[in-house]
Amino acid sequence: MTINHKLDVFAGLPVVDSLELDDHGRREQVAWRIDMDDFEAPIEKFEAALDRVLERCGPAGPTALIIGEWGSAYETAFPIELLVDRAARLTGLRGLFVGEMSSEQCEISWINQGDYTPLLEAFPALEHLWVRGSEELELNLIRHTGLRELVLQTGGLPATVIRSVGACDLPNLTHLELWLGVQNYGGDARADDLAPILSGRSLPALTRLGLRNAEIADEVATAVAAAPVVARIAELDLSLGVLSDAGAESLLAGQPLTHLKSLDLHHHFMTPEMAQRVVDELPGVAVDVSERQTEERWGRYTAVSE
């Protein structure tokens, strides 16, 4: 499966395409999408579109931005400096999503990113950061008290990035979502790389945890079953991966999960009997075991890959 839909809502705000800019006043309380939809577009064209949005949104700039195709994303990393250099005009920015592209525009594992540390340093009030694509993705150790939500959507998330997230000081982060992906596309992490996150020592405010799209879903489920952080998690998401009966058995044999509001396991390789057992043993929990897959033809596969 690939990602071909675009968001209608981001950071709690309706999404408006930058092509819909008009002269009828400022519109700060929307999430502006800037998408060149042209892999041959020069970066100057993207820069001009960004400046048009800033001009319409007043001195504090937009509340949220969604960056789609900025040009040749499969060749050139997103120029983070374009936002950093405009930080004084983006003091109102609270939400940022970089890389919202369909597979027709650029496959998720081809999207070039970069080091997001300078961006987080330049925007201490940023609350929502979503990034799609992991090619050259970096996040160095940083303290950021504004961030509430961090979502990294990848076809293969490097272990170095996961360890960096676990080592960062993010005291107010409540929602963490990591798409672990597959080894063929850079997803070289093992459960041990998640240890600082799962221990509960880092990310003290965390209440929503997603470890999604994982080729090592059974290994992750086994680690989660004994993870101290789960006791204070309200929403647990292990969907889009290759979870089998073995992983589900580990979950049920581990610590109690009946305190959860939701457990998302959709897109899985459990047998119907095991899927029903998970539902039956977690009464009161909204359990999603939809989209059962079979491995007879293709083997096990994550939902989002090439």
Side-chain angles (χ1 to χ4, degrees), residues 169-212:
D169 186 0
L170 306 173
N172 294 308
L173 193 78
T174 60
H175 178 188
L176 175 65
E177 185 176 314
L178 304 177
W179 293 26
L180 304 182
V182 303
Q183 188 168 10
N184 282 348
Y185 295 111
D188 59 351
R190 309 307 305 185
D192 286 349
D193 297 302
L194 295 164
I197 297 169
L198 296 180
S199 71
R201 292 191 298 271
S202 65
L203 312 179
L206 198 66
T207 59
R208 300 171 61 192
L209 176 62
L211 301 172
R212 312 181 71 194

Side-chain angles (χ1 to χ4, degrees), residues 35-46:
D35 190 346
M36 296 297 94
D37 200 19
D38 177 6
F39 71 90
E40 294 183 339
I43 195 61
E44 291 79 11
K45 185 176 180 181
F46 172 84

Side-chain angles (χ1 to χ4, degrees), residues 5 7 39 43 46 65 68 121 137 139 152 159 182 197 200 205 232 237 242 244 253-255 272:
H5 64 278
L7 294 176
F39 71 90
I43 195 61
F46 172 84
L65 277 175
E121 290 172 340
L137 179 64
L139 178 62
L152 303 180
V182 303
I197 297 169
R232 55 181 168 83
D237 188 344
V242 301
S244 72
Q255 63 188 300

